[in-house]
Amino acid sequence: MTQPLGSVMLDLEGPQLTPEEADMLMRPDVGGVILFGRNIEDATQVQALCSAIRAVRPDLLLAIDQEGGRVQRLRRGVTRLPAMARLAEGFESNSQAALQHCQDAGWLLGMEMAACGLDITFAPVLDVDGGESTVIGDRSFSSDPQQVSRLGGAFIAGLNEAGMAAVGKHFPGHGSVAADSHLELPVDPRPLNDLREHDLVPFADQAARLGGVMPAHVVYSAFDARPACFSRSWLGFLREEIGFKGAIFSDDLSMAGAHVAGGPGERALAALDAGCDMVLVCNDRAAALEALDACAGRGSKRQAKLRYGRARPSLENLPALSRWRRVHARLEALANGEPSSSLPTDS
């Protein structure tokens, strides 16, 4: 039977686990660890770090932001991934090929992250590119909601094929606001019906296949004055109208867009009370400790269900798989800027 897992996901200071961090991870309210660039040297070192964490707490959920393009924390010893907009090129002329490429990319990403010892990557981005957001931009598959849904769905299928849960972000959609929620609190004034017909389409279509969803630090003022991450209305909408049954992760509560909810402990409780299952508190150890104190006794089984459940693939053996070799070559070429039209098609 799945046991509840603590509600706080935090980060580490460097590429090795320190004795002080090992003690901190023993706190029952810690439910997970997310790795950033400062924690990473290469794939083998990440594997060793994950093993060291699991030696302290085998039950923790280990995560990374590994989307492709600009957002790729681990770069050495794994495949370089192109931005999702590059992966989606050619959809209009050959939709089946583009969908297969997205599924293959999701599969390869899931296999490589699982081989490194990780449970989840916070991917894919299901935001529809509205042409306003530089922080989203080419992280989105497309400016067309239906294309985002189909291409994102193929990527999710690939992750699932590799045994890894997918976490869609940033609900209900961050692609049509210019402000960067890392630096300020964006406001999207569009009415709910506009969001239903545009940004919400991929989340509604893919809800049953997602293991997790990450809400945005954005205020959708026509629906609720609170940012989605702290909004009972939005997270209730996600559960009740869209029917999502997986885990809800806050975006990093250290981001400027989250500060509207108060201090670190207040932010963490506000997100949990709104309906989040797990809160991320990163890049601020004092804030993480304050959040842990505030969240004592809070936990959920939903995030525990996202731990990788299969025998993990081996980093050393992945190149022996013909599918890995084929997909690796294509993704590396796209990441290098080669035009998709010049690459060989799969036969």
Side-chain angles (χ1 to χ4, degrees):
M1 174 181 271
T2 304
Q3 297 297 315
L5 193 58
S7 60
V8 179
M9 177 174 281
L10 42 73
D11 57 347
L12 305 174
E13 293 178 352
Q16 285 85 37
L17 185 68
T18 68
E20 294 77 16
E21 288 170 337
D23 289 342
M24 181 178 61
L25 295 185
M26 289 299 295
R27 296 183 59 163
D29 304 299
V30 177
V33 173
I34 180 170
L35 301 186
F36 288 93
R38 65 178 178 275
N39 307 123
I40 292 169
E41 295 169 354
D42 57 30
T44 302
Q45 172 267 328
V46 168
Q47 189 180 50
L49 177 57
C50 289
S51 294
I53 294 169
R54 294 197 191 282
V56 175
R57 281 282 304 277
D59 59 327
L60 290 181
L61 188 69
L62 304 188
I64 192 170
D65 269 328
Q66 189 86 350
E67 300 171 10
R70 289 174 284 155
V71 182
Q72 194 162 185
R73 312 300 188 202
L74 174 54
R75 293 176 179 267
R76 295 176 58 195
V78 296
T79 304
R80 287 179 300 160
L81 301 174
M84 293 301 99
R86 285 234 64 204
L87 198 58
E89 288 175 356
F91 180 86
E92 292 81 1
S93 59
N94 190 341
S95 61
Q96 287 307 308
L99 291 168
Q100 187 61 56
H101 294 152
C102 286
Q103 182 166 343
D104 284 341
W107 171 81
L108 180 140
L109 176 62
M111 292 290 282
E112 290 187 344
M113 294 304 98
C116 288
L118 294 150
D119 294 303
I120 56 171
T121 176
F122 288 112
V125 167
L126 293 179
D127 302 297
V128 180
D129 181 14
E132 299 287 335
S133 176
T134 56
V135 76
I136 299 300
D138 65 0
R139 294 167 67 192
S140 171
F141 287 98
S142 174
S143 60
D144 181 281
Q146 298 296 336
Q147 288 188 26
V148 173
S149 181
R150 293 186 65 192
L151 293 162
F155 195 91
I156 291 165
L159 279 169
N160 293 167
E161 191 181 0
M164 185 164 284
V167 181
K169 57 188 185 184
H170 306 81
F171 174 84
H174 199 309
S176 292
V177 289
D180 181 350
S181 55
H182 293 84
L183 306 174
E184 56 186 309
L185 178 60
V187 177
D188 188 333
R190 290 175 298 160
L192 179 60
N193 282 341
D194 287 5
L195 293 168
R196 282 184 193 274
E197 295 172 3
H198 196 257
D199 300 67
L200 281 164
V201 169
F203 293 97
D205 286 352
Q206 302 302 328
R209 303 167 76 184
L210 288 167
V213 165
M214 179 177 282
H217 290 321
V218 177
V219 171
Y220 304 85
S221 55
F223 186 73
D224 194 341
R226 296 164 293 190
C229 189
F230 302 121
S231 169
R232 290 187 181 91
S233 299
W234 271 121
L235 301 189
F237 183 98
L238 176 62
R239 292 284 188 211
E240 294 159 23
E241 180 152 340
I242 291 181
F244 177 65
K245 299 185 185 303
I248 301 176
F249 295 86
S250 82
D251 207 342
D252 182 7
L253 296 183
S254 297
M255 292 163 57
H259 286 199
V260 66
E266 294 169 306
R267 289 174 231 155
L269 287 176
L272 293 177
D273 290 343
C276 288
D277 298 291
M278 178 168 269
V279 297
L280 278 69
V281 187
C282 310
N283 303 306
D284 187 336
R285 180 55 52 79
L289 293 172
E290 188 174 332
L292 281 171
D293 290 339
C295 297
R298 303 287 291 262
S300 171
K301 294 182 180 181
R302 291 191 183 103
Q303 59 263 34
K305 293 177 180 177
L306 303 191
R307 287 190 296 252
Y308 193 79
R310 297 185 187 173
R312 292 184 181 273
S314 161
L315 280 171
E316 294 76 17
N317 293 340
L318 282 177
L321 302 176
S322 60
R323 183 180 182 185
W324 182 91
R325 294 195 301 272
R326 172 173 52 82
V327 178
H328 169 83
R330 181 177 181 87
L331 294 178
E332 288 272 349
L334 286 173
N336 280 334
E338 295 183 28
S340 55
S341 59
S342 72
L343 301 178
T345 57
D346 300 329
S347 57

